[in-house]
Amino acid sequence: MEGQPTDAVFTVTAGLVRAFRLLPDGRRQVVGFALPGDFLGLPRDAVHMFSADAAGHTTVCRVARRAFLELIDEHPDLLRRVHESAVRALDIAHDQMMLLGHRRAKTKIAAFLVGLRERWARIRSATALVPLPMGRQDIGDYLGMSISTVSRTLTNLAREGVILIVPNGVRILDLPRLTEIAKA
Amino acid sequence: MEGQPTDAVFTVTAGLVRAFRLLPDGRRQVVGFALPGDFLGLPRDAVHMFSADAAGHTTVCRVARRAFLELIDEHPDLLRRVHESAVRALDIAHDQMMLLGHRRAKTKIAAFLVGLRERWARIRSATALVPLPMGRQDIGDYLGMSISTVSRTLTNLAREGVILIVPNGVRILDLPRLTEIAKA
DNA sequence: CGACGGCTTGATAAGCGTCAACTGAGGTGG
DNA sequence: CCACCTCAGTTGACGCTTATCAAGCCGTCG
């Protein structure tokens, strides 16, 4: 499921999927992480690439693109929900653009963690523990920074007592402060 | 029309509109430039802010949000087109994220110009001349760089003979080379 | 036990933001 | 009609953040 063109639509049922684009020189930009419940492959025929990934055997629900389009014709209400999903994705994308533009490593990481926490909270109930099934490299490609800086920044936040680094994730110790940093 | 909440939907008919978000500290991120034909205000109730701007008296077509939603109920086909518009916006946003992430001023500016050229070409026929009705500050806020760097980079490109800076715009002298720079 | 991959950490250099001075065009008032 | 003001854009000097390169660490797996 590595680098297939979009001839199908997916829904994540468990785990986490990263969606990315490749640059001509081989580098990549992770354009989003899909959590359980999220749609994937909404964009039309554009050259989008995906990669299923990580976290306790990710599972997805796959629907042929053609079938999906027919389904929409029959149930106009479905289109509504798909559209809402797209709009929310656009919303997140805009937030992300804000992050990427105003570049301060600490801010980016903090905002990333806070945002992810909220998204997880909407699914599971756990609050303080934020799972990070993706690798440091993925986070870097998502936030537009090098793997080294991701690591450094995380350890700095840990040293300040704001977070605690645990296997495959992070435990937020001081959410108010983290939120504060995220806004700077 | 400065900083109004989204209680209406717009279509640009002439000129250029910039859409942006504000950060808590007052800085802003321009999330997109809307050219004639583009939609604005698709996102639901989110706190989005807009600003109409520049270029020979911009004009927009305004439709009350409520009326627009009712219209969609009656004509399901309309939702289809709106959705396509949203998906395209998402597409552009993803491209933008790529730009913002892989930070090299020259690359960003080049890609920005090439992309804008294509969008203009789809409307008018002129090719080499790329109008830039927005200010340098806007470009900076869009590409995530300071106004100084925008200016510097443009003059550098001009010195290299790739572009020619003209009032309210840029003339592309060496498109292949510019495209090449944009990919790096 | 040894090797590999993901992560951390350090030293160095470079790109870009910041601050600030300067230029030139457009507009206003004497 | 010209002097003056203002604002957008340009340019220069300097320092900070972050990328880059490279070494070391630790867990997992063969």
Side-chain angles (χ1 to χ4, degrees):
Chain A
M1 189 163 168
E2 189 77 33
Q4 286 183 13
T6 314
D7 62 344
V9 178
F10 299 90
T11 315
V12 182
T13 54
L16 180 144
V17 173
R18 65 171 137 88
F20 59 84
R21 286 195 178 184
L22 292 174
L23 288 89
D25 68 355
R27 291 185 304 184
R28 28 164 238 183
Q29 170 72 40
V30 173
V31 293
F33 296 107
L35 269 46
D38 292 334
F39 278 97
L40 271 179
L42 297 178
R44 12 154 238 178
D45 352 309
V47 198
H48 284 198
M49 299 240 180
F50 294 107
S51 167
D53 197 32
H57 296 313
T58 297
T59 60
V60 299
C61 174
R62 181 184 178 282
V63 179
R65 182 166 210 82
R66 173 182 297 274
F68 189 70
L69 291 179
E70 286 172 4
L71 202 62
I72 281 181
D73 279 338
E74 292 170 18
H75 302 274
D77 215 43
L78 179 58
L79 180 55
R80 233 201 171 77
R81 293 192 47 194
V82 171
H83 179 244
E84 274 169 23
S85 173
V87 165
R88 183 161 55 246
L90 187 59
D91 207 49
I92 293 178
H94 283 171
D95 281 341
Q96 191 59 17
M97 286 169 62
M98 265 186 27
L99 261 198
L100 289 170
H102 300 282
R103 22 160 329 199
R104 188 87 135 247
K106 205 167 172 181
T107 307
K108 288 184 185 176
I109 292 286
F112 173 64
L113 292 177
V114 172
L116 211 51
R117 192 197 78 97
E118 285 174 6
R119 291 181 65 191
W120 278 122
R122 216 168 290 169
I123 303 172
R124 315 185 170 218
S125 56
T127 48
L129 181 67
V130 179
L132 296 176
M134 72 294 273
R136 296 286 190 267
Q137 182 67 55
D138 292 320
I139 300 177
D141 285 347
Y142 183 54
L143 298 176
M145 45 201 267
S146 73
I147 181 175
S148 310
T149 308
V150 172
S151 186
R152 261 187 263 275
T153 309
L154 281 174
T155 45
N156 280 344
L157 285 174
R159 265 200 263 273
E160 294 176 21
V162 183
I163 63 172
L164 181 69
I165 299 177
V166 298
N168 291 325
V170 155
R171 179 170 293 277
I172 298 179
L173 300 179
D174 189 346
L175 182 57
R177 175 131 182 67
L178 191 63
T179 314
E180 197 56 37
I181 297 175
K183 280 190 285 200
Chain B
M1 189 158 169
E2 188 78 31
Q4 286 183 12
T6 313
D7 61 345
V9 178
F10 299 90
T11 316
V12 183
T13 54
L16 180 144
V17 173
R18 65 174 138 85
F20 58 85
R21 287 196 178 183
L22 292 174
L23 288 90
D25 67 356
R27 291 184 303 183
R28 32 165 233 183
Q29 170 71 40
V30 174
V31 294
F33 295 107
L35 270 45
D38 291 334
F39 277 98
L40 272 179
L42 296 179
R44 3 144 251 187
D45 354 309
V47 198
H48 284 196
M49 299 238 180
F50 294 107
S51 167
D53 197 32
H57 296 314
T58 297
T59 61
V60 300
C61 174
R62 181 183 176 283
V63 180
R65 182 166 211 80
R66 174 181 297 275
F68 189 71
L69 291 178
E70 286 172 3
L71 203 61
I72 281 181
D73 278 339
E74 293 170 17
H75 302 274
D77 215 43
L78 179 58
L79 179 56
R80 234 201 172 78
R81 292 194 45 194
V82 172
H83 179 245
E84 276 169 21
S85 174
V87 165
R88 184 163 54 246
L90 187 59
D91 206 49
I92 293 178
H94 283 172
D95 280 341
Q96 192 59 17
M97 287 169 63
M98 264 186 27
L99 261 198
L100 289 170
H102 298 284
R103 33 169 310 257
R104 187 78 143 248
K106 205 167 172 181
T107 307
K108 287 184 184 176
I109 291 286
F112 173 64
L113 292 177
V114 172
L116 212 51
R117 193 197 78 97
E118 285 174 6
R119 291 181 64 191
W120 278 121
R122 217 168 290 169
I123 303 173
R124 317 185 168 218
S125 55
T127 47
L129 181 67
V130 180
L132 296 177
M134 71 295 272
R136 296 284 190 269
Q137 183 67 55
D138 292 319
I139 300 177
D141 286 346
Y142 183 54
L143 298 176
M145 46 201 265
S146 74
I147 181 175
S148 310
T149 308
V150 173
S151 187
R152 263 187 262 273
T153 310
L154 280 174
T155 45
N156 280 344
L157 285 174
R159 264 201 263 275
E160 294 176 20
V162 183
I163 63 172
L164 181 69
I165 299 177
V166 298
N168 291 326
V170 155
R171 179 171 292 277
I172 298 179
L173 300 178
D174 189 346
L175 183 57
R177 175 132 181 66
L178 190 64
T179 314
E180 197 55 36
I181 297 174
K183 282 191 285 199

